Amino acid sequence: MHPQSPCPCGSPHSYAACCQPLHQGQPATSAEALMRSRYSAYTLGLVDYLIATTLPAQQSGLDSAAIAEWSRSSQWLGLEVAQAVEQGDQAEVQFVARWADASGVAQAHREHSAFVRKQQRWYFIDPGVALNHGRNEPCPCGSGRKFKQCCKPR
């Protein structure tokens, strides 16, 4: 993608001024910025980025081949962020991602995603990947708090 092209995440900025720096290793300044960069990563097939920005305790449970196939076989139609709320090192982002599947059928995925900041980096908590932690165990994000008070999906 040309750096001056519009950013796939739907922001009014160019790719170079929006998601590209995050794809190149710069930490996201907010959970919303991370969400937008993850959508752009799907459109560009940046599977390693998608895995690296998922909560480290979940990364081994991700299916990189399936992520790559979905990224490649989809026509990405847009992202709408409805709301982003940060409270300290936790955040929730409500969004709608739109794409057309391999047969051309338009799809929409609505999600209320959870994020956590650990060591100055935001991570996505994937609701589709099990966190084999009891409610009262220490959170796998390393915050020192109990899982139920930290990253447990609500």
Side-chain angles (χ1 to χ4, degrees):
M1 162 170 273
H2 189 276
Q4 296 311 313
S5 296
C7 196
C9 78
S11 81
H13 306 290
S14 69
Y15 175 62
C18 191
C19 291
Q20 186 179 34
L22 280 64
H23 293 161
Q24 294 175 338
Q26 180 179 319
T29 57
S30 67
E32 179 179 350
L34 181 62
M35 175 65 239
R36 289 182 173 282
S37 73
R38 287 177 56 83
Y39 177 85
S40 291
Y42 274 108
T43 73
L44 298 170
L46 303 176
V47 176
D48 290 343
Y49 180 80
L50 292 164
I51 292 171
T53 57
T54 300
L55 185 66
Q58 294 180 306
Q59 291 175 5
S60 65
L62 297 173
D63 183 343
S64 62
I67 294 169
E69 175 56 29
W70 187 45
S71 172
R72 227 181 357 263
S73 67
S74 299
Q75 176 188 2
W76 299 94
L77 304 175
L79 173 70
E80 298 169 33
V81 175
Q83 183 178 24
V85 178
E86 291 183 17
Q87 295 177 327
D89 290 335
Q90 294 184 333
E92 294 179 350
V93 179
Q94 295 178 37
F95 68 93
V96 179
R98 299 183 193 287
W99 74 98
D101 62 24
S103 65
V105 176
Q107 307 284 331
H109 174 74
R110 297 178 194 313
E111 189 170 311
H112 190 105
S113 293
F115 295 81
V116 65
R117 184 171 36 204
K118 178 181 177 186
Q119 298 175 339
Q120 304 305 317
R121 287 201 173 265
W122 284 102
Y123 292 97
F124 169 66
I125 301 172
D126 191 323
V129 178
L131 277 170
N132 296 323
H133 277 71
R135 298 169 18 98
N136 293 315
E137 291 182 43
C139 190
C141 78
S143 69
R145 296 183 296 194
K146 291 181 180 181
F147 179 56
K148 70 180 179 185
Q149 297 169 333
C150 193
C151 293
K152 183 178 184 301
R154 293 167 179 84

